[in-house]
Amino acid sequence: MRDMDLTAGNRRLQKRGRDQYKRKDYKAALSSFNSALSRVETTSIDILNDRAATHEKLGDLHAALKDGRRMISMNEGSCAAYRRTGKILQLMREDKKAVRIYEMGLRNVSPNDPDFKLLSESQEAILRVTRDPLTILPTEIALMIVRYLRFDQLVSLTRVSKTWRAFLLSAPTLWKSLDFSKAKSKLPYGALQRYIRCSKRQVTALVMNRRMSNWDATLNRVVGDCPELMHLQIDSIGSMDDLLSSTRHARNLQHLVLSKGIGIPLYFVYSILKSSPTLVSVEFHQVTQTLSGMPWCGNVLKLRALVINCSGAEFAPKPNIGPLLWSLGGVRKLSLAYCDVGTRLSTQDGARMPHLEELRLSYCEGEPFFSGLPSLRILHLISCAEIVRLYTTWTELPDFSACSLVELSLANSYLLEPEDLIRLVSRTQELQYLNLSQCCCITASGLKSLLNIGALDKAVELDVSGTVLTDRVVEQSIRNLKQLKRINIGNCASITGISIKALMTKAGCKLEYLDIDGCRNVSADAIALARNIPGLTVRYGISDSKGGKKIRYG
């Protein structure tokens, strides 16, 4: 009987407290709820919930949180306990902890509970409102995500808030690669040094631009402050001697890129190659010819990739780099532009580059030096008409089947005759890419003969733009290339909609890209047919013959 009187008394106190709460008399309500809780041995979750709400209104969030956690400990299946505790944590700006409370509630509360949906909505609401992933994601996950961002994006993120700045600058792994190529204002060394300190002097890659103040001193200090520097790219230099000294003292430097805009003489190229034995990859994008300079002598056996672009000597006698080529015993990728490759050496001398896999020559002159290269897989001879003519007319053409050539580009080879081209391509067995763009001497019958010899059965990409390609060649030959996925027949004046329809209607069409740019005789219905093929990208546009702008249709 006494227990029933106590229960009835608690209900009266709870009802009185709720009435006082509604009248916003929160202190009186708190007194009523305290009296109710002190009258029974077994605490009521409902009264605790009411008292927590009252503490919340009075601004005592810690007392409210204590009641909320007590509710959870009393009944882990109470939906009200998790909702109240989560709400208090949100008011305390502890969103990360609030999310965890809601997740715990969703695991422990029965889905059949009538308030389960409200609990789920509370979690969804905080996730929608919360924009800062640092308040939700574990540190390791957040770091994994921001590692995908570029350097300039990371720098922008440091300006979001003090929390983000402290988080990002405290992660050394994010600052191992510094790229200042997009800097728009002058950069003092202090700005660069800040990120070097953030990396704990573990910078491995650095891209510098011309906005660096006191460039030479900056480069020397960087080399001293970054003992693990492996990749260096610059687009401006002060003193060449200082650059040479810096590369010499960078003991772990493996990749060096001197961007276009840095005109350096050929002898300086030789000096860098000789003084930096650790280099594995070097790119010189603007080399100038000099009348006086030291000749090349020595070996760079560790070098695996070399790019030399002598565009600075485009209208002058092209620099002769022939002696350098035969000291590249370990090179795998070689790209030369506007160079004189020298005179042809013997096949035995050609074997001095046994590991060469990729060779790209653009606007070069001289004699072919790439016979007898057993590992060659990619050969691009762009605007090297004389080299191609000599190469294809010599009787001892190499057997490309021995080196598994997969890419061959002879673009702008205006001296190339059809029979010579057929002799060259017929020696390939694995060719997947062929570029014959702007080869104006090749006739339609020559193209047809080339496509019918079987050497292109595995071709995936074909570029015959700017040639005399006709509809008959497309119908009888190109459409039979079963593996073809990309084709460029742009600027072929004889091509009409017949060719497009023949390509689209062939059995097992695998085309993913079709370039018919500048083909004025292609009908609109053929273009519409091509665009309706799933997975096919069509590029088509024509230029106004009167000098108007190009109209792009796809």
Side-chain angles (χ1 to χ4, degrees), residues 383-411:
S383 298
C384 300
E386 185 62 24
I387 292 179
V388 173
R389 186 188 67 81
L390 292 173
Y391 187 46
T392 55
T393 54
W394 283 340
T395 56
E396 60 273 21
L397 280 173
D399 186 358
F400 283 133
S401 62
C403 65
S404 300
L405 193 72
V406 295
E407 286 191 24
L408 177 62
S409 175
L410 302 172

Side-chain angles (χ1 to χ4, degrees), residues 450-464:
L450 171 67
L451 295 168
N452 290 336
I453 60 177
L456 297 178
D457 290 344
K458 297 182 180 180
V460 176
E461 184 171 355
L462 179 64
D463 188 342
V464 286

Side-chain angles (χ1 to χ4, degrees), residues 217-230:
T218 297
L219 181 59
N220 288 324
R221 293 179 67 179
V222 165
V223 171
D225 291 343
C226 305
E228 298 182 14
L229 187 64
M230 299 174 61

Side-chain angles (χ1 to χ4, degrees), residues 4-233:
M4 293 178 62
D5 292 341
L6 287 173
T7 302
N10 288 343
R11 289 175 180 171
R12 285 194 297 271
L13 288 171
Q14 184 180 17
K15 184 177 182 305
R16 184 199 307 168
R18 288 181 174 177
D19 291 340
Q20 292 165 340
Y21 184 92
K22 291 179 181 178
R23 294 195 303 268
K24 298 184 180 181
D25 189 358
Y26 299 123
K27 290 184 178 181
L30 179 61
S31 178
S32 298
F33 293 138
N34 286 336
S35 298
L37 290 170
S38 65
R39 289 169 60 91
V40 293
E41 296 180 359
T42 304
T43 304
S44 170
I45 288 183
D46 287 340
I47 300 177
L48 275 176
N49 191 21
D50 292 338
R51 189 172 74 172
T54 306
H55 280 307
E56 178 186 322
K57 291 296 185 180
L58 291 171
D60 192 355
L61 296 180
H62 290 285
L65 180 61
K66 185 177 179 180
D67 284 345
R69 293 190 183 279
R70 188 176 174 187
M71 293 166 61
I72 294 175
S73 65
M74 290 174 58
N75 185 0
E76 292 185 352
S78 171
C79 192
Y82 294 107
R83 291 185 62 206
R84 176 64 62 189
T85 307
K87 180 182 177 182
I88 295 168
L89 287 170
Q90 286 182 255
L91 293 173
M92 299 175 71
R93 298 181 181 273
E94 296 284 354
D95 292 346
K96 194 171 184 180
K97 292 181 180 180
V99 170
R100 292 177 182 174
I101 288 293
Y102 290 137
E103 289 176 349
M104 184 190 304
L106 292 174
R107 289 197 302 267
N108 295 330
V109 176
S110 170
N112 297 324
D113 191 299
D115 291 334
F116 184 85
K117 184 177 180 181
L118 295 175
L119 179 62
S120 177
E121 290 175 353
S122 298
Q123 184 199 34
E124 293 175 0
I126 188 175
L127 290 176
R128 285 196 300 268
V129 172
T130 301
R131 301 298 182 186
D132 190 348
L134 292 183
T135 62
I136 299 177
L137 298 175
T139 302
E140 297 79 6
I141 301 298
L143 281 175
M144 289 176 62
I145 294 173
V146 297
R147 283 196 188 104
Y148 287 95
L149 301 178
R150 300 190 309 269
F151 174 74
D152 59 303
Q153 294 171 330
L154 284 175
V155 173
S156 297
L157 280 183
T158 61
R159 305 188 185 106
V160 172
S161 66
K162 292 182 179 179
T163 303
W164 271 91
R165 182 177 180 82
F167 169 72
L168 294 171
L169 296 183
S170 64
T173 55
L174 296 178
W175 309 104
K176 288 187 174 183
S177 179
L178 309 181
D179 184 354
F180 292 95
S181 60
K182 296 185 178 181
K184 297 180 180 179
S185 58
K186 193 172 183 179
L187 289 169
Y189 182 72
L192 174 57
Q193 194 176 37
R194 181 188 311 121
Y195 298 111
I196 294 176
R197 285 198 302 265
C198 292
S199 72
K200 296 184 178 180
R201 301 183 68 215
Q202 296 177 8
V203 173
T204 58
L206 174 64
V207 179
M208 301 174 63
N209 76 348
R210 64 192 66 209
R211 297 186 183 276
M212 293 286 182
S213 60
N214 196 5
W215 195 93
D216 296 326
T218 297
L219 181 59
N220 288 324
R221 293 179 67 179
V222 165
V223 171
D225 291 343
C226 305
E228 298 182 14
L229 187 64
M230 299 174 61
H231 177 100
L232 177 61
Q233 178 178 336

